[in-house]
Amino acid sequence: AQTVTQSQPEMSVQEAETVTLSCTYDTSENNYYLFWYKQPPSRQMILVIRQEAYKQQNATENRFSVNFQKAAKSFSLKISDSQLGDTAMYFCAFIRYNQGGKLIFGQGTELSVKP
Amino acid sequence: GAGVSQSPRYKVAKRGQDVALRCDPISGHVSLFWYQQALGQGPEFLTYFQNEAQLDKSGLPSDRFFAERPEGSVSTLKIQRTQQEDSAVYLCASSLANRGMNTEAFFGQGTRLTVV
């Protein structure tokens, strides 16, 4: 069975600084996808970034980038130039290739960006 | 609307009552998913539809939970004889392609169910 672990329940960062959120996962699969989702108080999950396991290049979306270490089964999210609007819960998630809808989520990290 | 719409946003049910939660996916989206998110936890998969076909219901916690999508668009999650442990946020998501979550999925704002 696949598992996703986020070991940081809470993180805080000063506005304009950089923060890294950690995620590790366990799987015997070779083909899969990894995601970071943001969940603000409105509860709506918003896709931040995704990574295909077969791609060696780390995904980047504006201020968000990942450090994907396939051998170590690690998938951390780096947020540069943190903004107050980045304050939210962040969830790491995994899905096997062609698994349909069964995303497996970590426990979440609550990020606070302080002015 | 432009996004996934869920109703009601909040529902309080007495223990033993039946409830029905509605999800309106983005128009034209083939895949639809339901997740349950307990307080302070990550969402957990309940079930997955491709059009009107329920391809995976392995996450439904008991036979009190039932989901349907009869015309391949709107979906309803029904919980019979609600119990306190059913209290959670129920999230719905949809995606355009028939490859499920492998393509970008868009989530609704969820229904917060409280069973008293």
Side-chain angles (χ1 to χ4, degrees):
Chain A
Q2 289 80 27
T3 58
V4 177
T5 302
Q6 293 178 249
S7 58
Q8 304 154 314
E10 298 176 356
M11 295 277 286
S12 67
V13 63
Q14 291 295 128
E15 195 175 7
E17 297 292 306
T18 295
V19 64
T20 298
L21 308 184
S22 300
C23 173
T24 58
Y25 59 95
D26 187 26
T27 184
S28 57
E29 300 289 325
N30 194 45
N31 295 321
Y32 51 87
Y33 297 82
L34 294 162
F35 305 82
W36 278 98
Y37 280 91
K38 170 184 177 181
Q39 188 177 42
S42 68
R43 299 200 304 258
Q44 187 169 19
M45 297 285 259
I46 301 164
L47 178 65
V48 174
I49 200 165
R50 69 179 243 155
Q51 175 83 41
E52 291 90 342
Y54 65 86
K55 290 187 177 178
Q56 293 185 337
Q57 186 173 6
N58 289 325
T60 300
E61 286 287 341
N62 301 313
R63 297 183 295 106
F64 299 88
S65 62
V66 298
N67 183 3
F68 173 48
Q69 301 290 326
K70 191 173 183 180
K73 296 179 183 173
S74 170
F75 183 61
S76 62
L77 174 70
K78 184 171 82 171
I79 306 174
S80 305
D81 186 25
S82 297
Q83 300 176 0
L84 296 178
D86 295 335
T87 294
M89 285 291 290
Y90 285 82
F91 290 96
C92 178
F94 166 100
I95 192 167
R96 288 166 49 189
Y97 183 71
N98 278 340
Q99 181 68 67
K102 195 177 290 185
L103 267 176
I104 298 170
F105 286 87
Q107 307 94 317
T109 296
E110 185 172 7
L111 177 67
S112 297
V113 180
K114 302 186 184 304
Chain B
V4 177
S5 177
Q6 291 188 246
S7 60
R9 289 285 317 271
Y10 301 90
K11 175 70 180 176
V12 178
K14 291 184 177 179
R15 190 170 54 185
Q17 187 178 358
D18 296 350
V19 298
L21 312 180
R22 178 187 170 103
C23 173
D24 280 87
I26 295 172
S27 179
H29 277 199
V30 169
S31 298
L32 184 143
F33 324 88
W34 284 98
Y35 285 79
Q36 179 190 58
Q37 186 176 19
L39 187 64
Q41 302 293 317
E44 292 192 356
F45 171 80
L46 293 177
T47 187
Y48 161 50
F49 290 86
Q50 189 178 109
N51 295 307
E52 69 277 4
Q54 190 174 20
L55 298 188
D56 188 343
K57 56 181 181 179
S58 62
L60 296 176
S62 77
D63 59 7
R64 296 186 296 104
F65 286 71
F66 172 76
E68 60 183 3
R69 193 186 185 198
E71 297 179 359
S73 57
V74 171
S75 177
T76 304
L77 176 66
K78 298 179 179 178
I79 309 173
Q80 297 177 323
R81 305 181 303 281
T82 51
Q83 305 293 316
Q84 283 192 317
E85 62 262 29
D86 300 335
S87 295
V89 172
Y90 291 84
L91 296 169
C92 176
S94 70
S95 70
L96 181 61
N98 60 7
R99 291 174 61 207
M101 280 288 184
N102 292 351
T103 55
E104 182 171 359
F106 297 86
F107 282 81
Q109 291 184 294
T111 295
R112 181 181 295 281
L113 172 65
T114 304
V115 181
V116 297

